[in-house]
Amino acid sequence: MRTYHCFWLLFWAGQPHQSFLTPLSKRTSGFPEKEKVLVLSGNSRQDLHRSKRSWMWNQFFLLEEYTGTDYQYVGKLHSDQDKGDGSLKYILSGDGAGDLFIINENTGDIQATKRLDREEKPVYILRAQAINRRTGRPVEPESEFIIKIHDINDNEPMFTKDVYNASIPEMSDVGTFVVQVTATDADDPTYGNSAKVVYSILQGQPYFSVESETGIIKTALLNMDRENREQYQVVIQAKDMGGQMGGLSGTTTVNITLTDVNDNPPRFPQSTYQFRAPESTPLDSPVGRIKANDADVDENAEIEYSITEGDGYDMFGITTDKDTQEGIITVKKALDFENKNLYILKVEATNTHVDPRFLYLGPFKDSATVRIQVEDVDEPPMFSRPAYIMEVKEDVPLNTVIGTVTAQDPDAARNPVKYSVDRHTDMDRVFNINSGNGSIFTSKPLDRETLLWHNITVIAAEINNPKQSSRVPVFIKVLDVNDNAPEFAMFYETFVCENAKAEQLIQTLSAVDKDDSHNGHQFSFSIAPEAASSSNFTLQNNRDNTAGIFTRKTRYNRHETSTYFLPVVISDNDYPIQSSTETVTIRVCACDHRGKMLSCNAEALIHPTGLSTGALIAILLCIIILLVTVVLFAALRRQRKKEPLIISKEDIRDNIVSYNDEGGGEEDTQAFDIGTLRNPEAIDDNKLRRDIVPETLFMPRRTATARDNTDVRDFINQRLKENDTDPTAPPYDSLATYAYEGNGSVAESLSSLESVTTDGDQDYDYLSDWGPRFKKLADMYGSMDSDKDS
């Protein structure tokens, strides 16, 4: 008979609360009466076959959150090849094998070493196998099975937010949606009621309610008023196990705010308001403020004020202050205590945003009465006009009245008024005013041609209170009279040619008049009567306010008469007629055949003729050439250089650097002792250098006297050494002068201080005896002597 090697997986039947085994055919809540065996064929991936007296198992359950002290027992592996002699070894692999799940390799018992949490991992897949301990070969195919962690109610419901915030309008209907809260449970929703959540309200009744299954919060009370209460705090509980006793629960807080609606009309706190306003209150100035109270907020509390009726409807206005929602009463027209001293107004306050849903509560407006008392003040005098315009002729006599201004005290007392002229507007005191009746009169002569308008200011002040004063402008126009004679428009000086013909036009005249003429000026020209008969010229009136001068004879002789003076009488046609006599100067000049003036025997005339263009250009060229010559001459003189005394490249000379330091002049006797150049023994031991300030004061050192037969080179080396070692010596870039050549020198002294005054006394032949160093100098001065001899 063919036999099958079976691999038995047995589970402990004594602890059904710890582990469960599920057959493939159906799910049972307990263990079957027969022994449970897992039979595997050679291929672990083939289907399982039920053998005689055996059940096939591949899924097991294990409770989570085990609280025992020992390892949690899972089940037992057993093979029919196991003879109990320890030759077989059971091994386990897969999820958590060796760490979370361990197996007794001898007995096949499986245990869980740690507490399991379904919320962390709900399913574990493991593989079991039995092998020969000696050969290591499997005696049964590998079998895969699943351990599912069975859920228990170990997680309470958690809300998605710790705190919810919501708002609804006040006066909402019952059942108005507020907000929905949501809680989740981490337990297995497919097993039992561990994850079934039910909502309930712990705090917030009777104002709000919550739906147990959805978590929707709704209003439960009608007409909740924001003005009574604005904030509500509701506590919602979520409980699992369907809300049954023993279930776990969590809570959250919901802050609910009632938003405002316009359900309250404005109301004045009092029915009557009283204000006082001086009659001198400026226009648009505030008189007082009133305010209607509105329990609403924001735009629902915005109020618009208006004056609906009253005797001051057109005298006052009212506006709304947007910040304070107050009504500001202002003055629209000037107040006058003497005309009216009391005004009564009716002011209405209305909401600008009205909600039609609440019109049943009544009209959303209110009214109040405003009484305004006008107070009397001491006002300055008032002129009858805002400005005065007066006219006066310029030839009126002094103290002539030209007009009158009138002002009176508007107060009931009618205080007397005195008048005066503001002298800042009439510095020349041309006008004056009667202080009692306000009549203005002239105090100085007027001249329209000098000033046409006089703008003065008149002051009216109360006699009893001079501080109460007012001003009015007075514009005085000076009217013209014909008091100015016409005159030439310009000074006329013309010429006539010697070869002129008779009736030849030599000049056109025109005139002007300072006076004003409404119909235009009309001037007439004529030669003065005393010169009309003997004149060599004639005058023709052109009837257009111009006249022409014509020659009367043919040819004029400038040697006989070089200048003619023609008197011309100019008259106007106004009343009274004004006339003047003007003189025209006419010179006799030589002209060419075209009538162009060539020359006159008198001084040059003021006319367009003058130097020709060619002459002007020639003069300009001469000036330019002269300037260029001067500039070149100056440049050449600057560029001239003296011929050097020694031009040989073989000469070796010291470079002398000049610092352009000037001495103190002839009066500075301490700066330099010229005697030192002549005699080294003349050095003053007590003199210190004055060109620098030494850092340390050293005692002056006396220079050793040179011997009489000291050579020049030794002398210079000695002086050089002394300067190098002298701490008070000048800096290295200073010039030290050595003029002493030594006693008994063949060349004697080379200093020009002891030279003779004339070059003729000098004999330079000895320079050739000094050696090659003085050869160039001997050649130069020797050639000079030869030039003199020649």
Side-chain angles (χ1 to χ4, degrees), residues 277-295:
E279 61 176 336
S280 60
T281 303
L283 299 182
D284 298 326
S285 298
V287 175
R289 290 173 175 255
I290 60 175
K291 183 177 182 180
N293 299 325
D294 194 326

Side-chain angles (χ1 to χ4, degrees), residues 191 328 404 719 723 790:
Y191 182 79
I328 306 173
T404 303
R719 290 290 185 268
N723 278 275
S790 61

Side-chain angles (χ1 to χ4, degrees), residues 27 91 145 195 209 231 248 369 382 400 461 483 500 549 574 650 664 694 705 766:
R27 178 178 178 180
I91 60 176
F145 62 95
S209 62
Q231 297 287 340
L248 303 178
T369 301
M382 292 182 61
T400 299
D483 58 346
I549 301 176
D574 290 335
E650 298 178 356
T705 305
Y766 60 88

